[in-house]
Amino acid sequence: MANSQEILEKDIPATLQQKPELAKDINSVIHFIVTGDNGGTWTLDCTKTDNWVSKGAEGTPKMTITVSNDDFVKIRAKQLNAQMAAMQGKLKFKPMDMGLAMKLAKLLG
């Protein structure tokens, strides 16, 4: 089973390479703060043409997403619905930008 680091550093860049329109659509800097085991902080910068994901918090984010490693893995594996996770407070968006959250759901889903 993948962990957050593998999802963020391998899966998401692979998805963006296959679907560059997703990066153009998101077109902003997103910080992911993953809590618990295998957690950490990553930056997703969709304003760039490649090297989208880096470790640590870089730049000024348009949104910060906070989620536990376990829940992030479950959302990615479709064992946990992202909207339900958000409603239960397991997946937090700051600020809550519904349009941007929906675009990110396409990338993470």
Side-chain angles (χ1 to χ4, degrees):
M1 189 126 149
N3 62 32
S4 297
Q5 183 172 0
E6 287 164 15
I7 294 167
L8 285 158
E9 294 179 5
K10 293 186 183 125
D11 297 358
I12 287 177
T15 302
L16 288 170
Q17 275 178 325
Q18 289 161 0
K19 300 178 180 169
E21 68 277 8
L22 284 175
K24 285 192 186 92
D25 210 21
I26 294 167
N27 192 30
S28 43
V29 175
I30 313 292
H31 287 172
F32 284 86
I33 298 172
V34 181
T35 60
D37 292 342
N38 298 310
T41 304
W42 285 269
T43 299
L44 169 66
D45 185 349
C46 286
T47 64
K48 300 199 286 192
T49 51
D50 61 0
N51 297 320
W52 297 282
V53 178
S54 55
K55 209 152 169 38
E58 292 180 20
T60 304
K62 189 160 183 194
M63 182 184 280
T64 300
I65 297 173
T66 306
V67 63
S68 76
N69 177 66
D70 292 350
D71 288 334
F72 190 56
V73 170
K74 285 179 188 162
I75 290 165
R76 180 72 186 175
K78 299 194 182 0
Q79 295 167 340
L80 176 62
N81 178 289
Q83 283 176 307
M84 283 302 296
M87 283 162 57
Q88 293 165 349
K90 293 178 177 179
L91 183 61
K92 297 185 180 94
F93 302 94
K94 276 186 187 173
M96 175 34 94
D97 176 334
M98 211 55 214
L100 186 55
M102 296 308 286
K103 289 173 186 177
L104 283 164
K106 283 186 202 164
L107 174 60
L108 299 172

